[in-house]
Amino acid sequence: LTFTRDDLLRVHDADAERPDSWRSEDLSLPLTYRFEPGAADDGVTVHIPVEVLARLGGDEFGWQVPALREELITALIRSLPKDLRRNFVPAPDTARALLDSLDPGRESLLEALQRELHRRTGVLVPISAFDLEKLPAHLRVTFAVEAPDGTEVARGKDLEALQHRLAGSARRAVAATVGAELERTGLRGWPEDLTELPRTVERTVGGHVVRGYPAFVDAGAAVDIAVFATAA
């Protein structure tokens, strides 16, 4: 009886609430949506070319898309142990009140929640008290890593684990895209056709910037030049 017209129709700012791409620095990553409770990829999936996989950080994706942010914050509050949770009930009202004071992307969502809950109530919630395992699948972003030809290489909810597992594939993809003219093996002196080794090399492919980091590699009796996916 208390629903407003906007509550029922959800026609306002639909494009902003459910964008078709995720902006991360100079990258624009396609998003797809699936509504199928119980499915592993229920919710939002971000499609990541393997050659830019290593450049992404996990904190930014923790904010979710705007359409799911209030529900996510509510679920995070409900995931707290009872002795902490009781300070923020009803959870949906607390989540709604917090939304306007949060600045997505400047820090991790959990750090922002911790600060705002403390500011409003004086209760300091340890970051570890938020139980991410209790979040419904649709509130955790799915990451689909794709090869240059568009085929899917791997997918999962843990970006860091995917980056670790696909580190070799990511480096090879970066090297093939931007490092073909630089990579050498078996060097015993400075190559005559190379004036200097650049700190970075990049190329725009498929609408996104692929960036590589050339470096010397100790090959025992000689030196190689390889192009890596991260500066580290």
Side-chain angles (χ1 to χ4, degrees):
L1 294 178
T2 61
F3 278 1
T4 66
R5 180 181 177 85
D6 282 347
D7 287 332
L8 292 170
L9 297 183
R10 294 291 186 185
V11 295
H12 56 294
D13 297 328
D15 290 342
E17 292 285 298
R18 293 180 180 270
D20 57 11
S21 64
W22 187 288
R23 298 292 305 183
S24 178
E25 297 183 354
D26 56 0
L27 296 174
S28 180
L29 306 171
L31 295 178
T32 55
Y33 298 85
R34 183 180 184 186
F35 178 70
E36 187 176 337
D41 61 348
D42 185 25
V44 183
T45 297
V46 56
H47 299 265
I48 304 171
V50 67
E51 59 267 27
V52 302
L53 175 63
R55 293 174 52 195
L56 301 174
D59 285 347
E60 60 181 304
F61 296 103
W63 284 91
Q64 259 291 357
V65 296
L68 295 176
R69 196 167 294 147
E70 182 179 323
E71 185 182 355
L72 172 60
I73 294 172
T74 301
L76 285 168
I77 293 172
R78 285 174 170 163
S79 78
L80 293 171
K82 186 176 181 180
D83 61 326
L84 287 171
R85 186 173 68 245
R86 65 187 180 189
N87 295 289
F88 314 117
V89 293
D93 292 349
T94 302
R96 200 170 300 115
L98 288 174
L99 273 179
D100 291 338
S101 60
L102 297 176
D103 186 5
R106 293 194 61 181
E107 58 188 324
S108 78
L109 173 61
L110 297 185
E111 289 174 347
L113 280 181
Q114 180 191 54
R115 185 188 64 253
E116 286 303 309
L117 290 173
H118 184 244
R119 185 177 68 84
R120 288 172 175 270
T121 66
V123 178
L124 183 61
V125 178
I127 295 292
S128 59
F130 294 105
D131 189 350
L132 300 182
E133 295 300 318
K134 290 184 178 180
L135 294 181
H138 73 281
L139 294 180
R140 299 178 62 198
V141 173
T142 298
F143 303 99
V145 183
E146 299 172 350
D149 63 2
T151 58
E152 187 173 297
V153 177
R155 69 166 49 217
K157 300 284 189 182
D158 189 331
L159 178 61
E160 188 175 344
L162 286 171
Q163 289 172 324
H164 180 73
R165 177 153 60 98
L166 299 175
S169 298
R171 195 204 76 77
R172 288 190 293 272
V174 169
T177 304
V178 299
E181 298 175 357
L182 274 177
E183 291 203 315
R184 317 288 169 85
T185 59
L187 294 176
R188 296 176 181 275
W190 191 271
E192 295 181 359
D193 60 340
L194 186 64
T195 304
E196 64 178 352
L197 192 65
R199 291 185 178 274
T200 61
V201 286
E202 60 182 50
R203 181 176 299 165
T204 300
V205 179
H208 56 266
V209 176
V210 180
R211 186 173 296 123
Y213 300 84
F216 291 111
V217 179
D218 183 355
V223 170
D224 296 344
I225 296 177
V227 177
F228 294 89
T230 67

